Amino acid sequence: MAEFMTETKQCPAGAPLAGDPPAPADRPRPAREGGPPPDGHEATAVLDRARGEVDPELRAAVESLPGAMRRIARYHFGWEHADGTPTAGNAGKAIRPALVLTAASALGGSGARTAALRAAAAVELVHNFTLLHDDVMDRDTSRRHRPTAWTVFGVPDAILAGDALQALALRLLAVDPHPASRAAAARLADCVVELCEGQHADTAMEERAPDEVRLDDVLVMAEAKTGALIGCACALGGLYAGADDEAVAALDAFGRQAGLAFQLIDDVIGIWGDPERTGKPAGADLAVRKKSLPVVAALTSGTPAAAELAELYGRPYDEKDLERTAQAVERAGGRDWAQVQAADRMSRAMQELVRAVPDPEAAGGLLALAEFVTRRSS
Amino acid sequence: MAEFMTETKQCPAGAPLAGDPPAPADRPRPAREGGPPPDGHEATAVLDRARGEVDPELRAAVESLPGAMRRIARYHFGWEHADGTPTAGNAGKAIRPALVLTAASALGGSGARTAALRAAAAVELVHNFTLLHDDVMDRDTSRRHRPTAWTVFGVPDAILAGDALQALALRLLAVDPHPASRAAAARLADCVVELCEGQHADTAMEERAPDEVRLDDVLVMAEAKTGALIGCACALGGLYAGADDEAVAALDAFGRQAGLAFQLIDDVIGIWGDPERTGKPAGADLAVRKKSLPVVAALTSGTPAAAELAELYGRPYDEKDLERTAQAVERAGGRDWAQVQAADRMSRAMQELVRAVPDPEAAGGLLALAEFVTRRSS
């Protein structure tokens, strides 16, 4: 249930980090015959197209809700202000629906792409249901530069609107006559369960002492929280294209690995990101003692800097320790580890993509999206 | 999302109320050829049988959850203590699954009954998802004589476990190969949306001033909160029996009217119920200034007692005013209204039942269940 390319946390594409930028040479770039490596422009075009296609489906679904649920959903999606007046438009990037549609067209052409529209909307509804609930649980007050729904409508209404969006998502698939809709619904429901377990693990992790957190656990948690829905989105596209089980599994694995790469980079930005770019104070994750991936890698490194970091994390936050804390993570190898891991995950994602979509031309859109969501550190 | 026959609020069948018992003569009892009117014993047998059939399905579904979600669900269902040790068994009555199975066999015999098992488990999962979330929203600390899940596992985990149970419910239907499962999933998802809107309306109502609440609004809210899922359970049974649209609609209406009758009687018990039977202090609903159906009927009666009640409800609770408040509701006609309404709703339920299941013998089980859940005041 992590934020994935939501605007609050997002750097503009290619934004440099504060301090030394990580070496972009780590990032494997699979060769694409017949064209240059994807750039941000290509990804933006892929996203814009998908957004244009899925929006009517998504809006129709939300408009089918009764009064109060509809009002909260419209606000949450950024279509309306709290008083019900229309906004200039501030919705998220809709990466997940774009992955559904792009995977469908990669393996099944434009027919599959059109057939997968409801599934794309369903994935976006599930994503937004989890955001509504996560914001309640984490007491986050801001999302996409606006007050979160629970701060505007109260906790009960935010919980209810999330519940309604989950129901709406699975309803879209239940009424979809496409032969893949049944398997898609089962897969999406399984994904929700995994997201819940991942969010639980994250909450539980934050309550543990720094020396009680294992790196493997954090990786598993990050895959469940962030990778699972990205993988599910890709897999659903494959299902609507009539792909075989192996290709669907490879699409799922592609999305999971790309999602993990994203999370690793997001965690690096949470420590060393440029406040002017991220819109968050420097070292925001350190200030709240977040056990992000680089921090846990540092804590479990067995180095002298690990002990120093554990001691710092045991204290209440003090701004004057911030720089030292970030340096301890770096000296303990947390930053390097996260960057190497991110590159490794992207490399695995590319291998899965080749398995799922052997034709490089057809795989271009998915490649562009994966690059887009993970290139913020390059 | 109301509690409906949960054990905290339940009186034993036929329990007398404190004070004057309402006149049982109000209750219409449709003639049943070939047998006496149903008694509590018949309903108990219907419930026990259904519970025995649906339990393995329900447990298998819950066991499929990952670790933390499974643990919370097992606790919530009353199968385990908080420390994971087994209980002596303290689950709810499973009225809703019994309605699914009884409606299915009424119209489709034992084949339909067996086919509807997954749907019955799905309805029970949805019911329990709403209980988990309602308890968080209402800050209720006790359910079925045990601490609520959020008091044991924390608010985030109770929200997550509810989310996971909703997903599990819709997953059960997604993997059900029965031709009715698609329509059942759509109907159940629609029902969840209605439950959410009903719970929102209830919360909003409680925040309004006593003179700003309209009786019609409370009735609509009660139907959404309590009637919708009872109706949906009956309708799903009809779908699995291959019933036509008209019979399915009549089953839905039967359940909604019986659910409303239940809510009216539950609200009467919430004011005049015998604390020894209800396990709650006398006048519990009045103490929390609940705008229950008899209270709103009294407030909107235009009588002198209505003005007195509004004045009393405007004050902070004081135990010495309790008796006078209950009397004001009664003098303003709130108690009589609720009893006449309950009888009227049961009468309508019976009419719908005759439409849905014309054979009185086949309708016996549904009749027994409807009588069982509403006879607590007789």
Side-chain angles (χ1 to χ4, degrees):
Chain A
M1 299 197 180
E3 296 167 67
F4 179 74
M5 293 300 292
T6 54
E7 297 183 19
T8 37
K9 283 192 152 185
Q10 186 195 358
C11 289
L17 292 171
D20 284 333
D26 286 346
R27 177 72 42 78
R29 281 188 181 264
R32 290 209 308 156
E33 294 172 60
D39 56 22
H41 183 72
E42 183 176 344
T44 305
V46 170
L47 285 169
D48 286 350
R49 182 182 167 201
R51 158 67 69 204
E53 289 165 316
V54 84
D55 243 16
E57 197 71 47
L58 194 60
R59 287 193 185 241
V62 167
E63 291 307 306
S64 78
L65 290 171
M69 297 301 105
R70 189 171 65 234
R71 197 168 64 247
I72 302 161
R74 282 177 180 161
Y75 173 84
H76 170 77
F77 276 106
W79 302 335
E80 276 186 9
H81 298 293
D83 64 3
T85 55
T87 62
N90 193 20
K93 292 249 170 320
I95 299 267
R96 290 163 193 76
L99 287 167
V100 176
L101 299 182
T102 308
S105 53
L107 287 176
S110 61
R113 185 181 182 100
T114 305
L117 270 176
R118 275 191 240 202
V123 167
E124 188 67 356
L125 288 167
V126 160
H127 174 53
N128 282 280
F129 128 61
T130 66
L131 295 181
L132 279 161
H133 284 191
D134 282 1
D135 286 341
V136 166
M137 290 179 238
D138 301 339
R139 299 273 153 182
D140 281 334
T141 55
S142 171
R143 170 166 305 281
R144 296 172 191 149
H145 304 294
R146 305 165 76 220
T148 46
W150 72 267
T151 67
V152 175
F153 300 98
V155 165
D157 276 355
I159 295 176
L160 291 168
D163 291 343
L165 291 191
Q166 182 185 178
L168 204 52
L170 290 161
R171 186 191 198 287
L172 272 188
L173 295 175
V175 299
D176 183 351
H178 194 278
S181 65
R182 226 174 241 284
R187 206 164 183 119
L188 190 56
D190 282 341
C191 179
V192 168
V193 170
E194 188 176 353
L195 292 169
C196 291
E197 188 77 8
Q199 171 73 5
H200 160 83
D202 192 23
T203 310
M205 193 104 59
E206 291 302 328
E207 285 166 8
R208 269 187 245 162
D211 60 351
E212 286 173 355
V213 177
R214 291 173 49 226
L215 190 53
D216 280 356
D217 293 342
V218 192
L219 280 166
V220 168
M221 180 275 288
E223 182 174 334
K225 265 196 64 162
T226 310
L229 189 54
I230 312 287
C232 183
C234 299
L236 260 54
L239 286 173
Y240 275 78
D244 61 26
D245 290 352
E246 204 185 334
V248 171
L251 282 167
D252 189 298
F254 159 75
R256 282 176 182 267
Q257 296 296 338
L260 256 181
F262 157 78
Q263 189 60 59
L264 286 152
I265 292 162
D266 197 56
D267 282 357
V268 168
I269 291 172
I271 301 174
W272 295 281
D274 179 352
E276 292 204 8
R277 304 284 192 150
T278 64
K280 297 175 75 170
D285 285 356
L286 298 179
V288 297
R289 303 306 193 211
K290 189 170 166 189
K291 299 192 189 76
S292 65
L293 287 155
V295 168
V296 175
L299 285 169
T300 56
S301 64
T303 59
E308 183 186 348
L309 177 62
E311 194 269 321
L312 284 161
Y313 251 49
R315 295 186 202 168
Y317 175 65
D318 182 338
E319 200 181 334
K320 73 176 169 48
D321 290 333
L322 186 61
E323 186 58 32
R324 205 181 128 208
T325 311
Q327 284 170 0
V329 178
E330 193 152 3
R331 277 185 286 114
R335 185 174 186 165
D336 284 349
W337 174 86
Q339 281 161 204
V340 170
Q341 271 284 326
D344 179 52
R345 298 295 173 166
M346 273 304 280
S347 163
R348 293 196 217 177
M350 295 306 122
Q351 288 163 26
E352 298 290 351
L353 183 56
V354 170
R355 274 181 53 208
V357 189
D359 172 12
E361 199 62 40
L366 288 171
L367 180 58
L369 287 174
E371 290 276 325
F372 177 75
V373 300
T374 54
R375 59 207 280 280
R376 301 184 300 156
S377 69
S378 66
Chain B
M1 298 197 176
E3 297 167 65
F4 178 76
M5 293 301 292
T6 55
E7 297 182 20
T8 37
K9 285 196 149 181
Q10 187 194 356
C11 289
L17 292 172
D20 284 333
D26 286 346
R27 178 69 47 73
R29 277 185 184 270
R32 288 211 307 156
E33 295 170 60
D39 56 20
H41 183 72
E42 183 178 341
T44 305
V46 169
L47 285 169
D48 286 350
R49 182 182 168 202
R51 157 67 70 205
E53 290 165 318
V54 83
D55 243 16
E57 197 70 47
L58 194 60
R59 287 193 185 242
V62 167
E63 291 308 305
S64 78
L65 290 171
M69 296 302 105
R70 188 171 65 233
R71 198 167 64 247
I72 303 161
R74 282 177 180 161
Y75 173 84
H76 169 78
F77 276 106
W79 303 334
E80 276 187 7
H81 298 293
D83 64 2
T85 56
T87 61
N90 192 22
K93 292 250 170 322
I95 300 266
R96 290 164 193 76
L99 287 167
V100 176
L101 299 182
T102 308
S105 52
L107 287 176
S110 61
R113 185 179 180 100
T114 306
L117 270 175
R118 274 191 242 199
V123 167
E124 188 67 356
L125 287 167
V126 160
H127 174 53
N128 281 279
F129 128 61
T130 66
L131 295 181
L132 279 161
H133 283 191
D134 282 1
D135 286 341
V136 166
M137 289 178 237
D138 301 338
R139 297 274 154 181
D140 281 333
T141 55
S142 172
R143 171 167 303 282
R144 297 171 191 151
H145 304 294
R146 305 163 76 222
T148 45
W150 72 267
T151 67
V152 175
F153 300 98
V155 165
D157 276 356
I159 295 176
L160 291 167
D163 292 343
L165 291 191
Q166 183 185 178
L168 205 51
L170 290 161
R171 185 189 199 287
L172 273 187
L173 295 175
V175 299
D176 182 351
H178 193 281
S181 65
R182 224 174 243 282
R187 207 166 180 116
L188 190 56
D190 282 340
C191 180
V192 168
V193 170
E194 188 176 353
L195 293 168
C196 292
E197 189 77 8
Q199 171 72 5
H200 160 83
D202 192 22
T203 311
M205 192 105 57
E206 292 302 327
E207 284 165 10
R208 267 186 247 163
D211 60 351
E212 285 172 357
V213 176
R214 292 173 48 227
L215 190 53
D216 280 355
D217 292 343
V218 192
L219 280 167
V220 167
M221 180 275 287
E223 182 174 333
K225 263 195 68 161
T226 310
L229 188 55
I230 311 287
C232 182
C234 299
L236 260 54
L239 286 172
Y240 275 78
D244 61 27
D245 290 353
E246 204 184 335
V248 171
L251 282 167
D252 189 295
F254 159 74
R256 283 175 182 268
Q257 295 297 335
L260 255 181
F262 157 78
Q263 189 60 59
L264 285 153
I265 292 163
D266 197 57
D267 282 357
V268 168
I269 291 173
I271 301 175
W272 295 282
D274 179 353
E276 292 204 6
R277 305 283 192 147
T278 63
K280 298 176 74 171
D285 284 357
L286 298 179
V288 297
R289 303 305 192 213
K290 190 171 165 187
K291 298 194 189 76
S292 65
L293 288 156
V295 167
V296 175
L299 285 169
T300 55
S301 64
T303 60
E308 183 186 347
L309 177 62
E311 194 269 321
L312 284 161
Y313 250 50
R315 296 187 202 167
Y317 174 63
D318 184 338
E319 200 180 335
K320 74 173 167 51
D321 291 332
L322 186 60
E323 187 58 32
R324 204 182 128 209
T325 310
Q327 284 170 0
V329 178
E330 194 152 2
R331 278 185 284 113
R335 185 173 186 167
D336 284 349
W337 174 86
Q339 281 161 205
V340 170
Q341 270 284 324
D344 178 52
R345 298 294 174 166
M346 271 304 279
S347 166
R348 293 196 217 176
M350 295 307 121
Q351 290 164 24
E352 298 289 352
L353 183 57
V354 169
R355 274 181 53 207
V357 190
D359 173 11
E361 200 63 40
L366 288 172
L367 180 57
L369 288 173
E371 289 277 326
F372 177 76
V373 300
T374 55
R375 60 205 281 283
R376 302 183 296 155
S377 68
S378 64

